[in-house]
């Protein structure tokens, strides 16, 4: 499994950097193009081989490190990925479009190493918390939750897992976050931070934004039975919105006519 979705294949990444024309005359740039092509074909060992060679293009160190570290992680060379990412981050390319991804990749490598230490998790937290707005989501929040667990902050980790689960329900991380939440709830008992109603409602909103109207309706219908007051009314309104957006105008009218909200503005 890849740690990040592929940015581009072959010469496309070089075009984005306005240096694709150099590939014909610069062997280092041409080698990077070959490595990216190999990565796109899931040939990670070739990627590592090409990008581990000396004489990599200095102006494209961010792309070299990104693809090299991804390939190293996929091929179970986590220690090499940590080494290469740490070396790059000492002197990163200014203004790199991959800055957030590289920081996240470094944190993932730190928490994903076999026998990962508390020190490694702490370093991962520092990297993730330095520039949170630049991190790809939801994997940034999920990795932060793992780092928080690894440094002995289970309640804070639960809050991060909750944000992944409720704000990004259609992502691959949602189910992983749910399982992590259940584990923490069992271990924390009464200390487990229950998710706020507003956060729970956002899961339904996220399903609507993803145009998964049936799932949104189911989510809101469940919340309408569990929440109270204005939050319940918002859930009921969400059911109506999901029905309407799914093309069931008659069902929407019938459903809303049977509601008797305490707060008329919610209907």
């Amino acid at each position: 499994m890849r740690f990040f979705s592929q940015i581009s294949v072959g010469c496309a990444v070089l075009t984005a950097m306005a240096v694709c024309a150099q590939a014909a005359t610069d062997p280092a740039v041409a080698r990077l193009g070959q490595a990216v092509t190999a990565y796109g074909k899931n040939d990670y060992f070739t990627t590592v081989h090409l990008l581990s060679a000396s004489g990599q293009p200095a102006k494209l160190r961010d792309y070299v490190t990104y693809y090299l570290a991804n390939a190293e992680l996929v091929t179970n060379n986590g220690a090499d990925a940590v080494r290469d990412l740490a070396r790059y981050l000492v002197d990163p390319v200014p203004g790199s479009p991959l800055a957030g991804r590289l920081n996240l990749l470094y944190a993932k490598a730190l928490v994903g190493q076999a026998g990962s230490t508390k020190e490694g998790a702490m370093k991962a937290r520092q990297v993730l918390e330095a520039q949170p707005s630049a991190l790809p989501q939801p994997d940034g929040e999920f990795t932060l939750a793992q780092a928080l667990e690894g440094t002995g902050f289970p309640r804070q980790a639960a809050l991060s897992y909750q944000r992944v689960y409720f704000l990004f329900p259609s992502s691959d991380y949602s189910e992983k976050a749910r399982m992590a939440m259940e584990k923490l709830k069992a271990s924390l008992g009464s200390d487990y931070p229950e998710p706020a109603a507003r956060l729970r409602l956002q899961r339904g909103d996220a399903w609507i934004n993803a145009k998964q109207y049936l799932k949104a309706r189911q989510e809101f219908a469940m919340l309408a039975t569990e929440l109270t007051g204005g939050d319940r009314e918002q859930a009921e309104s969400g059911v109506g919105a999901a029905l309407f957006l799914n093309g069931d105008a008659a069902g929407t009218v019938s459903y809303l006519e049977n509601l008797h909200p305490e707060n008329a503005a919610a209907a």
Side-chain angles (χ1 to χ4, degrees), residues 166-171 202-217 220 242 245-246:
F166 290 108
L167 299 181
F168 303 94
S170 61
S171 76
Q202 284 181 278
R203 183 171 167 87
D205 292 336
W207 281 128
I208 283 182
N209 290 336
K211 299 184 179 180
Q212 296 287 327
Y213 303 126
L214 177 58
K215 291 182 178 179
R217 177 186 172 185
F220 283 126
L245 290 169
N246 202 39

Side-chain angles (χ1 to χ4, degrees), residues 166-212:
F166 290 108
L167 299 181
F168 303 94
S170 61
S171 76
D172 293 339
Y173 288 93
S174 180
E175 179 62 15
K176 295 177 183 178
R178 184 192 64 79
M179 294 174 63
M181 287 160 53
E182 289 185 354
K183 181 179 177 182
L184 285 172
K185 188 170 186 176
S187 63
L188 287 172
S190 60
D191 287 335
Y192 181 79
E194 293 297 334
R198 292 297 175 182
L199 181 62
R200 297 180 67 189
L201 286 164
Q202 284 181 278
R203 183 171 167 87
D205 292 336
W207 281 128
I208 283 182
N209 290 336
K211 299 184 179 180
Q212 296 287 327

Side-chain angles (χ1 to χ4, degrees), residues 68-107:
L68 174 59
N70 261 301
E72 288 170 334
L73 288 170
V74 173
T75 55
N76 297 316
N77 291 311
D80 289 346
V82 168
R83 177 201 64 207
D84 292 331
L85 286 160
R87 182 182 299 159
Y88 168 81
L89 291 172
V90 170
D91 181 28
V93 173
S96 170
L98 299 182
R101 289 179 177 271
L102 284 161
N103 284 338
L104 177 53
L105 193 59
Y106 185 34

